[in-house]
Amino acid sequence: MTTFDTGRRAEAAAAAFLKYKGCTILDRNWRTRWCEIDIVAQRSAVIYFCEVKYRLHDRQGAGLDYITPKKLRQMHFAAELWLAKHVWRGDWQLCAIEVSGPAFRITGVVKM
């Protein structure tokens, strides 16, 4: 399995988790020339911009450990571009979903 395939499977697991929690998936892998958002989901009147982090094992740290201040700034920038393009004026939230192991289990969710 390629890194690309692994990433897609992790994102699919995260999207399935969000759907299970009552979210509607609005976008996956939304890109501009400057940024990318793994998953854009909506639940009630809130839009969630989700970064998906996959780790086969935690020898190099958990996936959520890789949400650095720089990554948060990038996520915020990407969210603002999406919001402007879609003319959304409601509530929104950044979040990260950690997917782990060969079974692609959800092992962590954090709202920023």
Side-chain angles (χ1 to χ4, degrees):
M1 183 179 317
T2 67
T3 302
F4 178 80
D5 293 334
T6 301
R8 292 289 182 207
R9 286 188 65 190
E11 289 170 3
F17 171 79
L18 289 168
K19 287 179 186 177
Y20 174 77
K21 292 294 187 177
C23 293
T24 300
I25 305 302
L26 302 178
D27 268 315
R28 284 184 58 184
N29 300 110
W30 184 81
R31 296 177 187 273
T32 72
R33 64 190 297 195
W34 304 284
C35 60
E36 185 249 344
I37 301 169
D38 292 333
I39 299 173
V40 181
Q42 182 175 1
R43 183 171 163 204
S44 301
V46 180
I47 300 287
Y48 294 93
F49 297 96
C50 304
E51 177 71 12
V52 178
K53 292 295 185 183
Y54 173 78
R55 294 293 176 270
L56 180 59
H57 46 74
D58 61 1
R59 282 181 256 172
Q60 293 180 316
L64 295 177
D65 293 343
Y66 289 83
I67 305 295
T68 63
K70 180 181 178 182
K71 184 61 180 175
L72 278 173
R73 286 190 302 275
Q74 291 171 338
M75 290 172 67
H76 194 271
F77 175 75
E80 286 183 337
L81 287 179
W82 190 96
L83 292 164
K85 182 179 186 318
H86 293 85
V87 195
W88 178 264
R89 305 229 189 284
D91 292 334
W92 60 278
Q93 180 81 50
L94 298 178
C95 71
I97 300 174
E98 180 182 85
V99 182
S100 300
F104 293 87
R105 290 180 329 140
I106 305 301
T107 52
V109 178
V110 64
K111 294 180 187 177
M112 279 69 127

